[in-house]
Amino acid sequence: MTGIVLAGRYLLHLPHGLLDFIIVGTAFIYFFILQFFRDPRITVVENDHLALAPADGKIVVIEETSEDEYLKERRIQVSIFMSPVNVHVNRSPVAGK
């Protein structure tokens, strides 16, 4: 880190505050990307009578809807809102082919 600061101040002739702002901003973006795309291990309880949530977040809608593209019948729709702090990994909620 010291080498980057010295290079920025003396070789690039950047002002003292600007270089610090660039370093802190870049570190913040780097850690945000790492946090956003993390994939933690989860413990799955295997039970044929359960449908697990496919994503972390908050369930905002559970309603009956018509699916006309593939199944062409009425189904239950579950919508999940994922905020930037939730794990953005989607998993299969039920077994199947």
Side-chain angles (χ1 to χ4, degrees):
M1 187 67 140
T2 305
I4 295 171
V5 173
L6 290 175
R9 287 200 180 119
Y10 297 109
L11 297 176
L12 301 176
H13 304 292
L14 293 176
H16 179 72
L18 177 62
L19 182 63
D20 294 339
F21 178 75
I22 291 171
I23 291 171
V24 170
T26 304
F28 176 77
I29 291 169
Y30 175 74
F31 287 114
F32 177 78
I33 290 172
L34 284 180
Q35 189 272 338
F36 188 82
F37 290 107
R38 69 193 187 280
D39 187 9
R41 293 188 182 270
I42 61 169
T43 304
V44 177
V45 178
E46 294 188 25
N47 186 334
D48 292 337
H49 302 291
L50 294 178
L52 302 176
D56 288 356
K58 179 179 180 179
I59 295 176
V60 292
V61 173
I62 300 176
E63 65 185 4
E64 188 173 327
T65 185
S66 178
E67 199 292 310
D68 299 325
E69 189 172 348
Y70 296 105
L71 302 173
K72 299 181 182 5
E73 59 187 29
R74 307 242 351 129
R75 293 290 172 147
I76 300 294
Q77 172 186 336
V78 179
S79 298
I80 300 173
F81 170 75
M82 294 190 302
S83 75
V85 297
N86 291 122
V87 174
H88 280 70
V89 173
N90 291 312
R91 297 176 171 88
S92 176
V94 294
K97 293 182 181 180

